[in-house]
Structures are given as C-alpha cells and as structure tokens.
Amino acid sequence: MTGSIQGFEVHEGADKLATYRFNTKSAEHHFCSVCGIYTHHKRRSNPNELGINVACLAGLSPFDFEEVVVYDGSRHPADDPQHRTYTAGVLRFDPAGDV
Ligand SMILES: [Zn+2]
C-alpha cells in the first residue's frame, strides 16, 4: 500500500490490497484482492482518518461489540451543508448463553 496515515501499518498482505474509488472518488476503499474482504478506507468526511474493519485488527473481533452504530451512507456528511451525520440504526450482537 502506498501513502500512509500516521500510526497505521499493514502487517500482512499489503501486496494483495486493491483500491476502489467510486462516486466522488475522494474516499479510497481497500479490499483484499484474494478473498474480497473490505479492510479499510480513507474517510471521505475526513481524509486524515481511516475507517478500519475490526475483523482485520489483531486481537479484535466484530463480536467484541454489543452494539455498533450504522451510519446512513446515502446522507453523507460531506454532502450536508451543516456536515451532519445521520444514523440508519444500530446493529446488536446478543451472544447465545450456552456458548
Ligand atoms: Zn483475503
């Protein structure tokens, strides 16, 4: 991967990352070119920040979070004059008690 945001480092598979840009082309979305998993993206709302798939972070799992806020991507803050963020809902993980 070329370019970097301070403190972010790809430990494995950087040579397998593919980049996709759509619509305004300002956000860079990175995917694994082998299995297709989304890994991270440079945020359109703040290009100095990354959004990272927690499943790709060592020691974390998406199931470590009981609730995750889902933002409404069809109403992006960069398209809003007041730069408001809208939420579409909340994803909840309710672990089975017998595991
Ligand atoms: Zn992969």
Side-chain angles (χ1 to χ4, degrees):
M1 181 185 151
T2 58
S4 66
I5 292 187
Q6 192 170 11
F8 177 75
E9 186 177 330
V10 176
H11 288 264
E12 279 183 51
D15 59 321
K16 303 286 193 289
L17 287 175
T19 302
Y20 182 72
R21 293 177 181 87
F22 61 92
N23 196 11
T24 64
K25 314 271 192 248
S26 54
E28 296 174 7
H29 300 266
H30 302 278
F31 298 86
C32 173
S33 63
V34 176
C35 69
I37 192 171
Y38 151 75
T39 58
H40 65 287
H41 71 281
K42 188 186 291 184
R43 299 184 69 199
R44 179 177 164 221
S45 57
N46 183 347
N48 296 315
E49 292 180 356
L50 293 175
I52 299 177
N53 182 347
V54 294
C56 297
L57 295 174
L60 278 180
S61 162
F63 303 111
D64 293 340
F65 303 88
E66 287 183 19
E67 292 187 348
V68 176
V69 174
V70 178
Y71 295 104
D72 182 350
S74 67
R75 294 189 287 171
H76 196 278
D79 298 331
D80 185 277
Q82 279 82 42
H83 211 69
R84 287 177 290 207
T85 299
Y86 295 92
T87 56
V90 175
L91 286 174
R92 288 191 177 80
F93 176 63
D94 186 13
D98 60 346
V99 181

